[in-house]
Amino acid sequence: MEREQALLIVKQQLTEQRYEHTLGVVETAVKLANQYGADVKKAELAAIFHDYAKFRPVEEMKQIILAQNMPNDLLAYNSELWHAPVGAYLVQTEVGINDPEVLDAIRYHTSGRAGMTVLEKIIYLADYMEPGRRFPGVDDVRRLAEEDLNWALLQAVKNTIAFLLEKRQLIYPDTIHAYNSLMREVKGEAKQ
Ligand code: DGI
Ligand code: FE
Ligand code: FE
């Protein structure tokens, strides 16, 4: 699917502000894909659609998680997590995108997971550090991203976990698994 057509489709699903965020994620993801040798077209498509389900009603997302046999432990954690797997499903069924790598990048863009692909890492990181994001620590992550994808992502995941701890929120296990897996990667140990 062409960029302009994809952007028109997603624009209808989002607020103006969320659409601007999406354009920032696209710009950042394309840059990271060029830098780290990922498929630029896939990065662009995943970035365009990563928040496709962001504004679906919680009840609709819940029904999709149950009906599609998604990990139902999701329902025991923050509903902020749900738009990612539900988005992957809706982008496939409503938009007709079938590339499993693109769909996985959307599916894991919020939680992360163990053994993330380069494309998944790029989308997580682009979502975290696009130019419109302004929170403490984001500039450190932007600097790290110029040098090393894994270190930048590790810092972003660490900041996210610290933020959740500070707010006394639950932490979804895949986020912890992402952290452990990246830590093993940067330490040069076997991936797990
Ligand atoms: O959709 P966005 O706002 O662009 O960003 P996102 O998809 O990364 O959603 C982030 C929100 O999800 C963020 O405010 C933190 C929240 N969240 C809640 N529980 C968890 C979580 N994020 C992670 N990584 N893990 C959690 O367990
Ligand atoms: Fe999101
Ligand atoms: Fe986002």
Side-chain angles (χ1 to χ4, degrees):
M1 180 178 293
E2 286 310 309
R3 176 194 175 101
E4 293 313 316
Q5 190 193 351
L7 285 171
L8 276 176
I9 292 171
V10 83
K11 197 172 200 292
Q12 296 170 335
Q13 299 289 325
L14 303 175
T15 60
E16 191 56 40
Q17 200 183 0
R18 182 63 41 174
Y19 182 68
E20 290 300 318
H21 158 71
T22 294
L23 293 179
V25 177
V26 173
E27 176 194 323
T28 308
V30 165
K31 204 167 132 205
L32 290 170
N34 276 309
Q35 193 181 341
Y36 290 109
D39 186 316
V40 175
K41 281 286 152 200
K42 290 186 189 204
E44 182 178 71
L45 203 57
I48 289 173
F49 286 111
H50 83 283
D51 275 339
Y52 181 84
K54 189 79 178 175
F55 298 104
R56 293 299 167 113
V58 163
E59 196 50 41
E60 180 187 346
M61 292 196 285
K62 191 174 182 173
Q63 292 315 317
I64 291 172
I65 287 167
L66 289 168
Q68 300 306 319
N69 292 315
M70 294 176 185
N72 62 11
D73 67 340
L74 276 167
L75 299 177
Y77 291 86
N78 198 323
S79 59
E80 280 289 325
L81 292 161
W82 303 353
H83 73 284
V86 169
Y89 170 75
L90 292 176
V91 163
Q92 182 168 30
T93 54
E94 294 183 359
V95 185
I97 287 166
N98 290 305
D99 185 324
E101 293 177 45
V102 171
L103 297 176
D104 278 347
I106 298 170
R107 181 171 292 116
Y108 299 110
H109 88 266
T110 305
S111 64
R113 63 162 167 169
M116 291 168 82
T117 64
V118 173
L119 190 66
E120 289 167 25
K121 290 174 178 178
I122 284 171
I123 299 302
Y124 187 111
L125 193 59
D127 187 27
Y128 184 88
M129 60 170 243
E130 60 93 1
R133 296 290 208 196
R134 284 168 227 287
F135 36 72
V138 71
D139 280 332
D140 290 339
V141 173
R142 290 183 180 124
R143 266 190 293 276
L144 286 168
E146 287 171 24
E147 306 293 329
D148 189 297
L149 181 62
N150 284 336
W151 275 111
L153 185 60
L154 194 53
Q155 186 68 21
V157 173
K158 173 176 166 275
N159 289 351
T160 303
I161 292 171
F163 168 80
L164 294 168
L165 289 173
E166 196 52 45
K167 289 207 306 170
R168 298 185 192 279
Q169 287 198 16
L170 296 177
I171 299 167
Y172 189 58
D174 273 358
T175 303
I176 306 290
H177 293 147
Y179 175 85
N180 288 337
S181 173
L182 285 161
M183 193 55 99
R184 288 194 176 100
E185 276 193 65
V186 300
K187 289 186 169 176
E189 295 172 17
K191 247 201 232 179
Q192 200 170 302

